[in-house]
Amino acid sequence: MLTVYNCIVHEHDLRLVALAALICGISSFSAVNLLRHVDRSSERNRYTWLMIAATSTGFGIWATHFIAMLAFSPGIPNAYNTEMSALSLAGSVALTAAGMWIATLRRGIDYPLVGGAVLGAGIAAMHYIGMAAFEVEGRIVWNPLLVGVSVLTGVTLAALALLVVLRRPSMQATIAAAILLTLAICSLHFIAMGAVSIFPDSSIEISQFTVEPMSQAFAAAAVSMAILVLSAAALWIDLRFRRHKLEAERMHGLANAAVEGLIVCDGARIVSANDSIAALTGMAPEVLNAMLLGDLFGERTAAGMSDCSGQAQEAELRAHDGATIPVELIARSIDYCGKRHSVVAVRDIRERRKAEQEILRLAHFDPLTGLPNRRSFSGRLEAEIAAMDRGGKGGHLALLLLDLDRFKEVNDLFGHGAGDAMLQKVALCASAVLRHGQMLARLGGDEFAIIAPNLPDPQAAGRIAEAVLAAMREENRLSVGGGLVSASIGIALYPLDADEPTLLVSHADTALYRAKAEGKDTYRYFEASMGAEARDRRVMEHELRQAMARDEFRLVYQPQKEISSGRMVGFEALIRWRHPQRGDVSPATFIPVAEDSGVIIQIGEWVLATACAEAARWKNPLTVAVNVSAVQLHNPNFSRKVHEVLLGSGLTPGRLELEITETALVKDMPRALATLRQVKALGVRVAMDDFGTGYSSLSNLRAFPFDKIKIDGSFIKSVDSNGQVAAIVRAVLGLGRGLGLPVLAEGVETLGELKFLDAEACEIGQGYYLGRPSPIEAFSELTGVAAPAAQEDASVKQRGGSILMLPPAAALRSA
């Protein structure tokens, strides 16, 4: 060691020694960094970076040697052989490359150690081949021991350096490995220099093809520094590229997690596309990354996204097979790999387009039949009328409104599924007879409409209606079990009947109502008289709704008496309407309108509540009879309403009698039967009203829980003089006796009728001969409720001669 020390201190220029050590340290630090880069590189770039690292390290070792040799002062002339110097450089680079390749071949301890030993051998080879290139006027004698020590030191330190940097890569490991590699190079060099002894010999001449030490050292340092700088630049560029690549991979990974397609663009060039857009287009991401944005969406769309405004816009995406896919694009600006890029979100809107088309279809077409709906019908009707106005041509436009007869019965008997099937059949039948340009629409429920433009004459509309009805009759004939439905059709013509769509529809509806009223399964044209009737009907509907609030209704009561004894048994409550302008309106006029409009429910509830409240005031426990319409009876809340009225008025249930017509029963017999049983459970009595008219059936008397039969007044009229009528009345009275039901005869107006009924043992009578309908105050002596004097006088005047008649029994005795 003393020899090495003396060699460094006394035979070297320490300034140049320091320079050589600095270059060696820089070279070593670069070497270990490049080695780590080689270890992390992919297989494709591995050998490139291996050669860069070996070249940089080899030149650094080579430059260190020659700068250190420049610091060596043997005191005699010296120079360097060019060929041997080049050979030493080649050996250094080759062995360094081999060592680094071995060290990074596999993980573990042995490969870095072996690779480091090979690298140390390269340092030794470079040094001793470089010493062979050293020519001096003297003899060089080597100390074998120091030579061995130098090689062992270099190999050991180099092996440790590679083990440290590859075992656990970190900045501390990198610095430690750089120091160890520096020590390996410097230790080998100076121990080897300490093994050299030079003896001057003037007989030895320096070759003329040598290079001076200063030039050799300068050239080695310059080339080595250039290579080191280039290597560092390459390393910096690659590290930056790796960082950007890592950022790109991370960004791409995040993009792949998105359901929507994402495209990152540098200007118009696509630099990254996620898996969603690849799946959408059917192209691989590598193919997409080589395309321009205009290749996918067209140049105009691509130019429109350059502002990255974030506003959504719709476009057509071109797939790999040439097909176009509707998409929604949103472009934004982002910082991508240190540079401004645009990211385009691509959303597949095919399902949304389908949903929009379905919504549009549902908005204009009926989902059950597939026919145009009311909205489409209104638009088409307005368009056809406008076209006729613009064209100024002759011809007619017919509007046919079609409504199914007894459609509710089909739903009630067979269920809504059967009803839907029937609506579909009607749509097919009607559509089959229409010509091009004619439109069939479903307006809702069982109501359809036909628009038939450009008809040559009004009769053509009737031929269309007859064809539709004939097609439905044929469908009914072919149906299993026979047909259950027919149709009524109302026809209105433009411009004969109306000059604007709303009025045309109204007139067709009026004609439809007339067709239904006149037998159904037919058609009717609109007539002006129908319009007047329809207007009067609508006005009456409106006035009926106002009559309740204006307190225009009142009740009158008609007595019901035992025919044999003349004893008073009760009253029938009858409604009257005194209109401010019309005066007294007959119930036969306004009751049907009230039933059709639904106002009858409110009116019926008022009658029931008013009659029960009045009867509850009577001291004599007479009964009160109240008529119930079919609409009331089929109301699911009817029995509950009767119960509430009885509780509110305090009337005993047995004193209330509800009169039901058979017509009200047949509309829905199961529901009517259930409602009547509920009413009977309350203790209320039920009478069959107008027996002998309508749908009279003996089975109804057996099925329904009636307490009384009322013979219609049409059978009582002239019963004492008409033998056929008398036979019918006798049959009914016999039926009542057989069933154990009392019979009440309505419309008793003469003494002869009264005598006949008494002779045939009819229990109860009602009519003008027994008492006219009057306000309840007129019967105060019967009800036991005293009336004010003024009212009593008015009642006597109102009763006139009919009330002053003898009671039935007295009348019969006097006769």
Side-chain angles (χ1 to χ4, degrees), residues 434-445:
L434 299 184
R435 296 179 180 178
H436 178 72
Q438 297 175 349
M439 174 185 181
L440 173 65
R442 183 188 177 199
L443 305 185

Side-chain angles (χ1 to χ4, degrees), residues 397-400 452 455-467 489 491-493 523 525:
L397 181 145
L399 172 62
L400 294 80
L455 297 180
D457 53 69
Q459 289 72 28
R463 290 192 291 270
I464 295 174
E466 184 57 43
I489 300 176
I491 304 173
L493 299 171
Y523 66 91
Y525 283 93

Side-chain angles (χ1 to χ4, degrees), residues 698-719:
L698 299 180
S699 63
N700 291 336
L701 290 175
R702 182 172 59 87
F704 289 92
F706 292 110
D707 300 292
K708 182 187 293 183
I709 299 175
K710 295 186 69 175
I711 304 177
D712 187 71
S714 61
F715 294 100
I716 304 302
K717 187 176 180 64
S718 302
V719 69

Side-chain angles (χ1 to χ4, degrees), residues 57-73:
T57 304
F59 269 88
I61 297 170
W62 190 64
T64 299
H65 171 77
F66 284 102
I67 293 173
M69 288 300 295
L70 181 63
F72 178 62
S73 301

Side-chain angles (χ1 to χ4, degrees), residues 9 66 271 293 331 384 460 523 549 562 569 596 721 739 744 759 804:
V9 173
F66 284 102
V271 297
L293 201 59
E384 291 290 352
Y523 66 91
E562 285 187 354
V569 295
D596 289 341
S721 59
L739 295 175
L744 184 151
L804 296 176

Side-chain angles (χ1 to χ4, degrees), residues 23-233:
I23 292 175
C24 181
I26 295 172
S27 176
S28 298
F29 188 76
S30 175
V32 295
N33 271 297
L34 288 170
L35 180 63
R36 288 180 58 189
H37 200 61
V38 170
D39 187 51
R40 293 195 301 264
S41 297
S42 62
E43 193 66 27
R44 185 176 62 181
N45 299 326
R46 183 183 187 86
Y47 293 103
T48 300
W49 282 105
L50 181 64
M51 293 311 300
I52 292 173
T55 302
S56 175
T57 304
F59 269 88
I61 297 170
W62 190 64
T64 299
H65 171 77
F66 284 102
I67 293 173
M69 288 300 295
L70 181 63
F72 178 62
S73 301
I76 53 178
N78 57 84
Y80 291 95
N81 182 278
T82 306
E83 291 79 4
M84 295 302 293
S85 296
L87 181 60
S88 67
L89 175 60
S92 175
V93 172
L95 289 174
T96 299
M100 288 184 171
W101 176 74
I102 294 172
T104 57
L105 191 60
R106 290 186 184 175
R107 296 292 180 185
I109 297 176
D110 48 351
Y111 281 89
L113 288 176
V114 173
V118 173
L119 176 59
I123 298 171
M126 182 272 137
H127 178 82
Y128 287 106
I129 295 174
M131 289 301 297
F134 182 63
E135 295 186 8
V136 64
E137 291 183 354
R139 290 180 295 104
I140 298 177
V141 179
W142 294 91
N143 184 336
L145 178 60
L146 290 179
V147 169
V149 172
S150 68
V151 173
L152 181 60
T153 302
V155 169
T156 302
L157 292 175
L160 291 174
L162 266 58
L163 178 64
V164 169
V165 74
L166 295 177
R167 183 66 173 170
R168 288 189 176 86
S170 63
M171 182 55 67
Q172 292 82 359
T174 300
I175 295 173
I179 294 173
L180 287 173
L181 188 57
T182 301
L183 290 176
I185 297 171
C186 292
S187 297
L188 188 145
H189 177 83
F190 289 108
I191 292 174
M193 291 303 295
V196 173
S197 297
I198 300 176
F199 298 97
D201 186 351
S202 58
S203 63
I204 298 175
E205 296 182 359
I206 298 175
S207 172
Q208 62 180 349
F209 300 105
T210 57
V211 180
E212 293 182 357
M214 181 63 73
S215 301
Q216 177 84 349
F218 180 77
V223 172
S224 298
M225 290 303 297
I227 290 176
L228 285 172
V229 169
L230 292 175
S231 299

